[in-house]
Amino acid sequence: MDYFKEFFKGVWQKNPILVLGIGMCPTLAVTTSASNAIWMATATTFVLLGSNILVSTIRTIVPSHVRIPIFITIIASFVIIVELTLKAFQPDVYKALGIFIPLIVVNCIILGRAEEFASKNSVVHSILDALGMGVGFGLTLFILATAREILGANKFFGYTLIPGMKPAILMILAPGAFFTLGLLLWAMNVIKSRKARFKRTE
Amino acid sequence: MEIKILFTILISTIFINNYVLSRILGICPYLGVSKKLDSAVGMGLAVIFVMTMASFFTFIIYKFVLIPFHIEYLRTIAFIIVIASLVQLVEMVIEKISPALYQALGIFLPLITTNCAVLGVAVLNIDSGFITQEFGLLNSVVQGFGAGVGFTLALLLMAGIRERLEIAMVPENLKGLPITFITAGLMAMAFLGFSGMKIF
């Protein structure tokens, strides 16, 4: 039960994007299509998992005043693994995500989880935390990307939905990203306040 | 001729490809520090400085260390270490010169390290092929400076709007981040107007 909680908190209660509000750059920039979002989420989850495992393994021997450089070096190594793997096996994905692959290094989610969770908890807990955060991140990305791809390109996973319809290109450009995330956060707030009101009346 | 190119790079990084509103880089500090105008000014200046310096040093390291040793694939690690040490330097300088500003910037000063715009400009300098050009170093420094100015411009505009939003009647559920994102979207739409601009 405890393990389940550790996993699930990243998906909903402490969702990195919708609740903690971190890791916004890749969220906004790569959600132009659903497949991009899934690749980005996979890559980030891999790095998150790797760094969480390694950081929690060495957490007792790392001197606290040099921990940040050590964490960043660990994260950067995993990012290079992802970068080279994608370049070799999925060159199209590598091209589509472009600069945002090396930028996984500076995704606040990964350093944030290493600092806040993995450096204080056991390996098993850190793995579950990483997976939960990854899934929460991925789900949010997928929702955003689906909305933007359908509205902005009239496509879903690259397949045209309604032939002949002109899409609202704005949604696939930068403003669409901001609008979609703003509306998603608004919806999240509405759900939260409804829940709170429901509890009060009970 | 060279001046023309530099001017083009400068204008396009500030307005046409604004790092925040068009390339969507550096959103975390953009949202975090834009609550007050004074701290936005400090953050903006720190970012301009770090970006310009980072462009300079990362370019030199890529050209004279990574390429001769054929370890270009290590650029992510090399760049992030350069940026982290630069940020440490800026932090120490600001702490000595202006403790008030240091207090105001708080957690976001060390977070410049994880500001994707800084690493972004370093990586983009390499990706845009400056490395083989004659004046590549100058070009990349100008691109770094322009990116910093563009970031500061977006940050200041946002801080001004958010100070007004504090006293505006915003629906309860839209308060905070949601309305900020929608505002940012409107600003991005305005900056989209630059995208058709031809300089020369």
Side-chain angles (χ1 to χ4, degrees):
Chain A
M1 203 56 217
D2 184 39
Y3 291 126
F4 184 72
K5 227 189 220 168
E6 212 67 83
F7 172 77
F8 208 67
K9 74 167 193 292
V11 180
W12 178 253
Q13 199 187 350
K14 274 193 170 183
N15 186 301
I17 297 164
L18 298 177
V19 180
L20 303 181
I22 52 177
M24 294 288 187
C25 304
T27 312
L28 293 166
V30 303
T31 49
T32 46
S33 75
S35 64
N36 271 1
I38 288 179
W39 276 110
M40 187 69 199
T42 318
T44 309
T45 310
F46 172 77
V47 177
L48 187 58
L49 191 62
S51 82
N52 256 15
I53 292 173
L54 212 55
V55 165
S56 74
T57 316
I58 60 169
R59 69 184 186 279
T60 45
I61 52 171
V62 172
S64 70
H65 48 274
V66 290
R67 65 182 194 285
I68 301 287
I70 292 178
F71 292 169
I72 288 190
T73 317
I74 291 174
I75 295 167
S77 322
F78 280 105
V79 170
I80 290 176
I81 296 175
V82 167
E83 205 178 342
L84 293 177
T85 316
L86 279 183
K87 207 177 189 174
F89 295 108
Q90 294 285 345
D92 294 341
V93 176
Y94 181 77
K95 239 185 207 158
L97 296 180
I99 186 182
F100 286 93
I101 299 269
L103 287 188
I104 298 176
V105 175
V106 285
N107 190 329
C108 326
I109 298 174
I110 298 168
L111 188 62
R113 290 330 281 175
E115 163 78 6
E116 201 190 305
F117 196 88
S119 62
K120 291 173 194 140
N121 289 287
S122 74
V123 179
V124 180
H125 280 96
S126 302
I127 292 175
L128 288 167
D129 179 72
L131 288 176
M133 284 287 162
V135 170
F137 180 68
L139 270 180
T140 320
L141 243 65
F142 184 69
I143 295 171
L144 276 173
T146 312
R148 281 182 71 195
E149 198 182 2
I150 290 175
L151 291 173
N154 188 18
K155 279 178 182 166
F156 186 59
F157 278 107
Y159 296 107
T160 310
L161 289 177
I162 308 167
M165 195 185 81
K166 276 215 173 114
I169 300 166
L170 186 75
M171 292 306 286
I172 218 135
L173 298 173
F178 288 112
F179 288 140
T180 325
L181 188 53
L183 291 177
L184 197 61
L185 287 168
W186 171 67
M188 188 82 181
N189 276 351
V190 169
I191 294 172
K192 261 194 236 158
S193 64
R194 280 260 171 87
K195 256 188 183 168
R197 210 183 307 152
F198 194 65
K199 258 183 197 159
R200 236 179 291 141
T201 49
E202 251 182 6
Chain B
M1 199 59 213
E2 184 59 21
I3 296 290
K4 246 184 191 176
I5 296 173
L6 291 182
F7 188 70
T8 314
I9 293 176
L10 200 61
I11 294 294
S12 65
T13 43
I14 297 176
F15 294 110
I16 304 171
N17 282 324
N18 186 293
Y19 269 60
V20 180
L21 296 171
S22 165
R23 284 195 201 271
I24 327 191
L25 291 168
I27 300 295
C28 294
Y30 179 62
L31 297 173
V33 199
S34 61
K35 277 185 190 128
K36 271 189 182 158
L37 211 48
D38 340 341
S39 48
V41 173
M43 180 73 179
L45 292 178
V47 167
I48 293 180
F49 181 73
V50 173
M51 272 188 175
T52 317
M53 300 292 275
S55 307
F56 181 75
F57 284 112
T58 52
F59 190 88
I60 286 184
I61 283 180
Y62 194 79
K63 188 155 188 176
F64 296 109
V65 180
L66 298 187
I67 288 186
F69 288 102
H70 301 293
I71 44 172
E72 289 96 335
Y73 60 90
L74 284 182
R75 69 169 182 192
T76 313
I77 281 196
F79 288 4
I80 199 79
I81 290 171
V82 169
I83 292 166
S85 15
L86 269 175
V87 169
Q88 199 80 45
L89 188 78
V90 173
E91 198 180 340
M92 287 188 316
V93 170
I94 290 185
E95 196 178 3
K96 272 277 176 315
I97 292 177
S98 160
L101 184 61
Y102 184 75
Q103 286 284 323
L105 291 182
I107 187 173
F108 284 98
L109 209 49
L111 278 189
I112 296 184
T113 316
T114 53
N115 181 344
C116 25
V118 180
L119 184 62
V121 78
V123 173
L124 273 175
N125 280 336
I126 306 302
D127 283 353
S128 44
F130 287 152
I131 213 87
T132 52
Q133 286 170 12
E134 197 185 350
F135 295 101
L137 181 60
L138 192 60
N139 286 351
S140 66
V141 169
V142 168
Q143 175 151 303
F145 177 73
V149 173
F151 178 84
T152 311
L153 178 72
L155 189 67
L156 290 185
L157 289 174
M158 193 56 167
I161 295 174
R162 275 182 91 171
E163 278 192 349
R164 284 288 187 93
L165 270 180
E166 287 286 303
I167 46 168
M169 296 269 283
V170 179
E172 190 59 40
N173 287 324
L174 272 174
K175 268 183 189 159
L177 272 186
I179 192 75
T180 313
F181 268 111
I182 290 168
T183 317
L186 292 172
M187 279 170 71
M189 258 167 94
F191 269 73
L192 215 57
F194 287 115
S195 66
M197 203 161 86
K198 260 197 186 150
I199 303 168
F200 290 114

